[in-house]
């Protein structure tokens, strides 16, 4: 596989940004880490260092939190009208849209994902979320109620911003997930410290630049780059952070919950998944087969909602598996910025080792690899899209989140919905699921039985700013979109007056 020089594939704006001297945004200042330490940013498509960013630690976090606290307690942000705040958020969306090409290129270079994905998902998804939440800014209301107590009382509630919010986002969708967590917090009136994953920090810094250009008051949006075990841990435990939003692994989520207990800060978590795609005998296979393939191979399977467990009625099992395997075997692997790339590399050497380790364990356990299963080349972190059969519920590759382009296919020959649902629910996770059938009664009855925060019928990986996104069980707490996200970043205050 020929890997091009990414420098020749970027626009001038993206190239210029990547090659800047990158710093932390704290208040209205761009600063190096006080220690002077930096983190190498690596292009997953080549394995080469493309930039360096500051490696913040607790001292830098203290400065960022102090800036956010000052902006919330005493700055113009808290005195701004809700409509003015919404207008500023809308202008932020406009500025992101105006820089769509370079943002998509930086996202592709940073994550390894195919450029077309970043162009059709990440940038427009970010813009639409900001515009949706901008509209909510002026519609966050309390309510009045009738109480049972005797005498005359006037009782009502108000919703107030929770305060300073730390937002820690993962490396798979660093731009879009940052915006999706920022937008409701900003609409509610909170101030933010954004901490991107150390593997993919570039567009977080670019968001900070655009926020300044847009005119957000100093301290409303701060950006702190660095490692999870230092900067992330310091934010999670900080006594002056009022809420934390974390997207990532369930293991790290547990650590954040423990750290947040110090001041009982509010915690929102979107964690891991092992999502089932359930294909019934009557499914339209012209839609189900490419739908299932897209659910696991989009973004090289590095998606928390990826349909990594395929449950198929035995009567069509071979047809579905063969169809998905054919799609997998014909996908074009390549550098994310290269024309024609359908599947980019995994994000890092560590992720390559993780996915390869699960595949090795699967081989030892006796799985059948229908297609794929191997690394491609030695430059960059490319993994073949893989389809596996002959798995069991006890195998790690079937039970645990691989977070790679690996699909485990299992047949079922039982038309009893309870038993099929039991197969789908046999996981500690409960983030996403899809049901493929032309029987509307079956579809909606199964949707009731599947224990997941989102259940899709005849589609998978559905996201929209108005559609609540979040998980059951060990897939997390709270919802990331819809008005439910606004609720997460507000406190409800009850007020009573005796008349």
């Amino acid at each position: 596989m020929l890997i091009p020089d990414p420098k020749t594939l970027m626009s001038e704006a993206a190239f210029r940004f990547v090659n800047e001297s990158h710093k932390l945004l704290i208040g209205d200042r761009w600063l190096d880490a006080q220690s002077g330490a930096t983190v190498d940013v690596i292009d997953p498509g080549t394995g080469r260092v493309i930039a360096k960013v500051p490696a913040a630690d607790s001292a830098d976090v203290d400065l960022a939190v102090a800036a956010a606290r000052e902006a919330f307690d005493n700055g113009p942000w808290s005195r701004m009208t809700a409509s003015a705040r919404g207008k500023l958020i809308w202008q932020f969306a406009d500025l992101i849209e105006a820089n769509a090409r370079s943002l998509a290129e930086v996202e592709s270079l940073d994550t390894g994902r195919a450029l077309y994905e970043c162009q059709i998902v990440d940038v427009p998804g970010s813009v639409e979320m900001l515009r949706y939440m901008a509209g909510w800014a002026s519609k966050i209301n309390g309510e009045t109620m009738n109480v049972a107590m005797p005498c005359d009382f006037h009782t009502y509630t108000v919703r107030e911003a929770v305060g300073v919010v730390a937002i820690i986002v993962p490396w798979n969708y660093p731009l879009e997930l940052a915006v999706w967590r920022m937008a409701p917090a900003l609409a509610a009136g909170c101030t933010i410290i954004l901490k991107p994953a150390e593997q993919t920090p570039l567009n977080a810094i670019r968001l900070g630049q655009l926020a300044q250009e847009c005119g957000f008051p100093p301290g409303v949006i701060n950006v702190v780059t660095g490692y999870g075990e230092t900067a992330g841990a310091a934010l999670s435990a900080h006594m002056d952070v009022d809420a934390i939003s974390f997207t990532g692994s369930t293991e790290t989520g547990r650590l954040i919950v423990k750290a947040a207990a110090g001041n009982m800060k509010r915690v929102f978590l979107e964690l891991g998944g092992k999502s089932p795609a359930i294909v019934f005998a009557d499914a339209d296979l012209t839609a189900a087969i490419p739908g299932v393939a897209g659910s696991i191979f989009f973004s090289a399977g590095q998606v928390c909602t990826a349909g990594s467990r395929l449950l198929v009625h035995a009567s069509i099992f071979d047809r579905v598996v063969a169809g998905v395997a054919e799609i997998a075997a014909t996908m074009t692997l390549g550098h994310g910025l290269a024309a024609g790339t359908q599947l980019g590399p995994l994000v890092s050497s560590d992720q390559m080792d993780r996915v390869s380790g699960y595949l090795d364990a699967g081989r030892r356990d006796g799985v059948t690899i229908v297609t794929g299963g191997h690394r491609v080349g030695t430059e960059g972190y490319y993994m073949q899209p893989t389809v596996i059969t002959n798995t069991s519920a006890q195998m790690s590759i079937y039970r645990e989140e691989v977070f790679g382009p690996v699909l485990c296919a299992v047949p079922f020959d039982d038309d009893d919905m309870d038993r099929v649902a039991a197969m789908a629910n046999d996981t500690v996770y409960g983030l996403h699921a899809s049901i493929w059938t032309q029987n509307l009664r079956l579809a909606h009855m199964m949707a009731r039985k599947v224990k997941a925060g989102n259940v899709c019928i005849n589609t998978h990986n559905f996201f929209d700013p108005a559609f609540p996104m979040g998980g059951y069980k060990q897939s997390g707490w709270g919802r990331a979109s819809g008005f439910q996200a606004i609720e997460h970043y507000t406190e409800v205050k009850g007020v009573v007056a005796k008349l």
Side-chain angles (χ1 to χ4, degrees):
M1 181 173 59
L2 182 64
I3 300 175
D5 181 356
K7 295 178 183 177
T8 65
L9 303 175
M10 285 188 285
S11 64
E12 181 182 351
F15 181 81
R16 186 171 59 249
F17 168 72
V18 170
N19 287 279
E20 288 177 2
S21 176
H22 301 293
K23 298 180 184 295
L24 311 172
L25 175 58
I26 297 177
D28 59 354
R29 298 182 296 164
W30 290 94
L31 304 172
D32 292 319
Q34 293 184 58
S35 67
T38 59
V39 180
D40 288 340
V41 182
I42 296 173
D43 170 12
T46 63
R48 303 190 196 108
V49 176
I50 53 172
K52 294 180 183 292
V53 300
D57 57 25
S58 58
D60 305 294
V61 166
D62 285 344
L63 290 178
V65 174
R69 173 58 60 193
E70 176 64 19
F72 182 78
D73 289 343
N74 302 311
W77 184 245
S78 296
R79 298 189 297 272
M80 191 179 293
T81 65
S83 60
R85 192 164 61 240
K87 183 178 180 181
L88 191 55
I89 296 169
W90 191 284
Q91 291 170 345
F92 195 23
D94 288 344
L95 200 52
I96 289 173
E97 190 171 52
N99 289 271
R101 175 73 189 191
S102 61
L103 285 167
E105 289 175 346
V106 171
E107 194 77 345
S108 174
L109 181 67
D110 213 6
T111 65
R113 293 170 47 233
L115 177 60
Y116 85 91
E117 293 183 10
C118 303
Q119 290 176 312
I120 68 171
V121 174
D122 303 56
V123 177
S126 299
V127 170
E128 289 306 315
M129 175 57 94
L130 284 167
R131 288 175 177 161
Y132 175 83
M133 289 298 173
W136 270 117
S138 59
K139 301 171 187 67
I140 302 173
N141 302 317
E143 60 182 358
T144 60
M145 65 282 298
N146 296 316
V147 295
M149 294 294 291
C151 302
D152 290 323
F153 292 94
H154 176 43
T155 52
Y156 62 95
T157 62
V158 292
R159 283 192 174 273
E160 299 178 341
V162 72
V164 175
V165 178
I167 296 176
I168 302 176
V169 295
W171 44 257
N172 57 339
Y173 284 79
L175 172 66
E176 188 175 25
L177 287 175
V179 171
W180 273 50
R181 305 304 179 254
M182 292 166 62
L186 292 171
C190 299
T191 57
I192 290 167
I193 305 102
L194 173 63
K195 193 275 175 194
E198 58 265 27
Q199 298 91 340
T200 55
L202 293 179
N203 262 338
I205 295 172
R206 186 67 181 125
L207 283 174
Q209 293 177 348
L210 294 177
Q212 277 195 324
E213 184 179 339
C214 188
F216 280 93
V220 173
I221 297 175
N222 306 272
V223 180
V224 175
T225 57
Y227 294 101
E229 58 266 29
T230 50
L235 280 169
S236 302
H238 205 288
M239 298 298 287
D240 217 17
V241 170
D242 301 304
I244 187 162
S245 171
F246 171 75
T247 309
S249 71
T250 298
E251 293 77 12
T252 303
R254 290 192 184 97
L255 296 175
I256 286 174
V257 170
K258 292 178 181 178
N263 68 337
M264 300 297 289
K265 61 173 61 67
R266 183 171 296 189
V267 179
F268 165 73
L269 302 170
E270 185 187 315
L271 306 176
K274 193 71 176 178
S275 301
I278 310 166
V279 183
F280 286 97
D282 72 326
D284 176 2
L285 298 189
T286 63
I289 288 172
V292 167
S295 78
I296 183 60
F297 300 136
F298 193 81
S299 297
Q302 298 173 125
V303 186
C304 56
T305 58
S308 53
R309 289 186 299 141
L310 174 59
L311 311 180
V312 189
H313 195 279
S315 64
I316 57 170
F317 181 78
D318 290 343
R319 289 172 60 196
V320 172
V321 169
V324 175
E326 182 181 2
I327 292 172
T330 56
M331 295 186 77
T332 302
L333 274 70
H335 193 282
L337 290 173
T341 292
Q342 295 174 294
L343 190 73
L346 301 177
V347 75
S348 66
S349 60
D350 286 345
Q351 191 63 15
M352 174 61 76
D353 291 343
R354 175 186 173 88
V355 175
S356 298
Y358 276 109
L359 288 168
D360 290 342
R363 291 185 181 95
R364 291 192 298 270
D365 290 338
V367 305
T368 298
I369 298 181
V370 180
T371 189
H374 296 284
R375 180 173 183 169
V376 179
T378 57
E379 186 178 5
Y381 314 117
Y382 298 90
M383 173 62 69
Q384 293 174 325
T386 303
V387 178
I388 294 173
T389 59
N390 291 330
T391 62
S392 71
Q394 290 71 43
M395 295 179 182
S396 62
I397 200 167
Y398 180 85
R399 296 196 67 84
E400 299 175 18
E401 186 178 38
V402 176
F403 223 64
V406 179
L407 177 67
C408 294
V410 178
F412 64 86
D413 56 8
D414 197 329
D415 291 325
D416 183 281
M417 283 189 285
D418 288 333
R419 284 191 279 269
V420 176
M423 291 179 65
N425 294 332
D426 185 21
T427 172
V428 298
Y429 300 110
L431 188 59
H432 209 77
S434 61
I435 299 165
W436 301 82
T437 177
Q438 298 181 75
N439 184 327
L440 285 178
R441 178 182 181 277
L442 174 62
H444 291 289
M445 291 296 291
M446 277 299 297
R448 294 183 180 185
K449 295 176 182 295
V450 173
K451 293 182 172 63
N454 295 121
V455 179
C456 301
I457 296 172
N458 294 325
T459 188
H460 198 104
N461 283 341
F462 178 85
F463 308 104
D464 187 89
F467 186 70
M469 166 65 190
Y472 285 20
K473 299 188 281 186
Q474 293 184 33
S475 288
W477 298 342
R479 295 296 179 266
S481 42
F483 183 70
Q484 290 84 350
I486 294 283
E487 291 178 316
H488 179 70
Y489 296 109
T490 55
E491 295 278 14
V492 176
K493 177 183 288 181
V495 182
V496 57
K498 187 175 181 180
L499 302 180

